[in-house]
Amino acid sequence: MAALNDLLPTAAVRLDVRVADWRDAIRTAGGLLVETGATTEIYTAEMIRNVEENGPYLVIAPGFAFVHARPSPAVLRTGMCWVRLETPVEFGHEANDPVHLVVGLAAEDSGAHTAAMAALAQLLADPETARALQDAADPEALHTVLAGTEGERDDRPGDEGAEGERAATGGAAPDPAAPGRAPAVSGPAVPEQSGGARAVHKILTVCGNGVGTSLFLKNTLEQVLDRWGWSRHVTVEATDTISAKGKASEAVAILTSREIARTLGDVGVPVQVVEDFTSGPEVDRVLRDTYDV
């Protein structure tokens, strides 16, 4: 899978850009994707239409918009761009406006960029790295921060990595998640396989297109599950709104944005709203609310 630096060349980075509004911010991001050969201009219009039709769900963390649209013929190759705004603009998000960072994604499919999304989610969730990115003087300096962060995450010892993860995801794991115990869902009894063995639960993370913001939330949720020791009991699938309605019966819960929750409506399972898709503590709280722990 492509690494973050592979998908985000320095030519696709613009810092301290002045824009008039959110549409202008997306046009700037789309222009970089066109300039670097990732898309045609049609894709820029598709990204704007995505917000018009689905709302500002892609503002996934305070000050951060992850703009994208569905894979389409307008995507020539998978690529990303980075636009830091001189003055923040409103996208219309209830909790995360105003936006000062716009990262654009063009995806050929739902798989090739998942490693890059995981890396981006982790670095934006780290306050020190986020500050370094915000303070980068030029595209080369920003690229150096990205490259250094990926290397540090690969090289850090397991104990230090686990300790950092505990800090990022909000404290001690609940006792019911101790190794060997399956989670107990509040409400319906835990499903059992033949012989009384615990079945594996599924949680869906949902966005408008299933290739961008839902992957951020999936990564954060999986970090929390790993810390709890529940990873072998709960799987996480990132998907889009249309597919989620058909897959809801397979899941114990859906995690998504407020805007997408409204679009989904009643799907027969709990739909939990997450405001900051990069926040381990918030996802930890939502997961505790979903499960009786």
Side-chain angles (χ1 to χ4, degrees):
M1 293 186 181
L4 183 56
N5 272 359
D6 296 330
L7 298 181
L8 184 64
T10 55
V13 176
R14 292 289 185 277
L15 303 180
D16 303 325
V17 177
R18 184 175 301 177
V19 299
D21 54 24
W22 68 264
R23 287 183 176 85
D24 197 18
I26 293 180
R27 290 189 193 100
T28 301
L32 289 174
L33 292 173
V34 172
E35 289 175 19
T36 53
T39 70
T40 70
E41 293 181 357
I42 294 173
Y43 188 73
T44 303
E46 292 173 348
M47 290 194 292
I48 292 174
R49 187 162 60 250
N50 184 30
V51 179
E52 293 172 340
E53 293 178 353
N54 296 307
Y57 76 90
L58 40 66
V59 185
I60 63 173
F64 172 42
F66 187 57
V67 300
H68 59 283
R70 292 182 180 276
S72 77
V75 177
L76 305 179
R77 62 170 178 82
T78 298
M80 295 174 66
C81 66
W82 186 288
V83 180
R84 192 175 73 194
L85 302 179
E86 181 181 76
T87 302
V89 297
E90 303 279 339
F91 271 67
H93 195 281
E94 296 177 17
N96 294 333
D97 270 344
V99 169
H100 60 79
L101 173 63
V102 178
V103 175
L105 168 71
E108 289 183 283
D109 54 47
S110 60
H113 60 294
T114 54
M117 295 301 93
L120 182 58
Q122 290 173 9
L123 70 89
L124 290 175
D126 179 71
E128 184 177 342
T129 304
R131 279 194 300 272
L133 292 170
Q134 181 63 23
D135 295 340
D138 52 46
E140 290 74 18
L142 185 139
H143 223 245
T144 298
V145 174
L146 296 179
T149 300
E150 288 188 298
E152 288 170 7
R153 292 185 185 276
D154 290 340
D155 295 339
R156 66 184 181 179
D159 289 345
E160 292 179 10
E163 183 62 34
E165 207 169 85
R166 282 192 290 273
T169 52
D175 289 341
R181 284 188 73 176
V185 184
S186 55
V190 178
E192 293 186 350
Q193 297 172 337
S194 59
R198 299 290 190 177
V200 175
H201 291 172
K202 178 187 289 187
I203 295 177
L204 301 178
T205 60
V206 181
C207 69
N209 303 299
V211 298
T213 58
S214 59
L215 291 174
F216 269 89
L217 185 52
K218 178 179 185 287
N219 178 76
T220 305
L221 177 54
E222 287 178 336
Q223 288 185 57
V224 174
L225 290 169
D226 286 344
R227 185 179 57 81
W228 282 17
W230 284 25
S231 295
R232 64 194 179 100
H233 301 300
V234 182
T235 63
V236 184
E237 180 179 346
T239 190
D240 62 274
T241 50
I242 296 174
S243 299
K245 292 180 179 180
K247 295 178 178 180
S249 61
E250 306 169 6
V252 296
I254 290 173
L255 271 59
T256 189
S257 66
R258 193 173 303 278
E259 293 79 12
I260 297 300
R262 295 189 187 113
T263 299
L264 288 173
D266 184 1
V267 292
V269 298
V271 178
Q272 300 276 29
V273 170
V274 178
E275 300 287 3
D276 183 349
F277 282 20
T278 67
S279 171
E282 181 178 357
V283 171
D284 185 285
R285 290 192 299 271
V286 169
L287 196 60
R288 289 174 188 272
D289 184 53
T290 302
Y291 287 91
D292 189 16
V293 295

